[in-house]
Amino acid sequence: MITKTQADPLFAAKLTPYRSLSSRGQTVLIGVIAAMAAIPSMVFYSLGAWPIVGFMGLDVLGMWLALRWSNRQTRRFEEVTLWPNRLEVREVSPAGKQTTTAFDPHRTRLIVDRDYDEKTLALYLRNDGGDYELGSFLAASEKASFAKVFGTALRRARR
């Protein structure tokens, strides 16, 4: 027989990067950039400076590649699951590679790294094996919010 404390975690969260622009928004943005690059390209082409058109095209291509790389990075995430006797962090890379790290919640501390303005810079799980950074891709406000909730759950697991 499985009891509730053995099956259900005390805490579970999925940390994902913030995505400021949807796929449709990225398409619209690249279209606007291409249109804005086309205007000076036509002017330079009519003046006989046709190589500028290629450089403007490279600018548009560079922006498209940067947005594509940024969109790919949003596929990464971390799942943090806490039970009374085990803490697991499952990290999934943008390529889909998964790594799971387990901790003993009784020997693990949550370290919150802050700057002089009390802005949260980083979150670490510290145990005998060293430090493990959590949610490196999160914004400072998200890190602070997660630290408050997760810190409470970690203290509860120690009791």
Side-chain angles (χ1 to χ4, degrees):
M1 181 173 151
I2 297 176
T3 64
K4 183 177 181 192
T5 56
Q6 292 172 335
D8 294 337
L10 297 173
F11 177 85
K14 183 176 183 180
L15 307 177
T16 57
Y18 178 70
R19 183 175 179 167
S20 60
L21 204 55
S22 67
S23 295
R24 184 172 186 266
Q26 288 180 359
T27 303
V28 170
L29 180 62
I30 289 297
V32 169
I33 291 171
M36 297 301 289
I39 295 168
S41 293
M42 288 187 281
V43 172
F44 282 112
Y45 184 79
S46 68
L47 293 173
W50 57 267
I52 300 297
V53 175
F55 289 112
M56 297 300 273
L58 286 175
D59 285 347
V60 174
L61 177 65
M63 287 299 296
W64 178 75
L65 289 172
L67 283 172
R68 187 173 164 108
W69 178 82
S70 174
N71 190 29
R72 180 180 151 105
Q73 293 301 312
T74 61
R75 290 189 222 150
R76 74 182 287 198
F77 64 89
E78 292 177 1
E79 288 182 341
V80 180
T81 310
L82 175 66
W83 292 274
N85 59 349
R86 186 173 172 87
L87 169 62
E88 280 186 359
V89 179
R90 184 172 75 104
E91 187 174 353
V92 179
S93 72
K97 182 183 174 206
Q98 298 182 21
T99 57
T100 302
T101 308
F103 302 92
D104 178 4
H106 302 285
R107 306 182 105 202
T108 303
R109 292 181 49 214
L110 177 65
I111 306 298
V112 181
D113 186 17
R114 293 187 173 98
D115 67 2
Y116 62 93
D117 285 332
E118 292 298 311
K119 179 179 165 185
T120 304
L121 301 175
L123 301 174
Y124 297 99
L125 291 175
R126 180 173 289 164
N127 65 6
D128 300 335
D131 290 352
Y132 181 91
E133 187 172 5
L134 276 178
S136 60
F137 47 80
L138 296 176
S141 60
E142 292 170 328
K143 287 178 186 177
S145 173
F146 176 75
K148 184 177 181 182
V149 174
F150 179 66
T152 302
L154 190 58
R155 283 189 296 278
R156 198 172 67 217
R158 288 187 188 130
R159 285 187 228 144

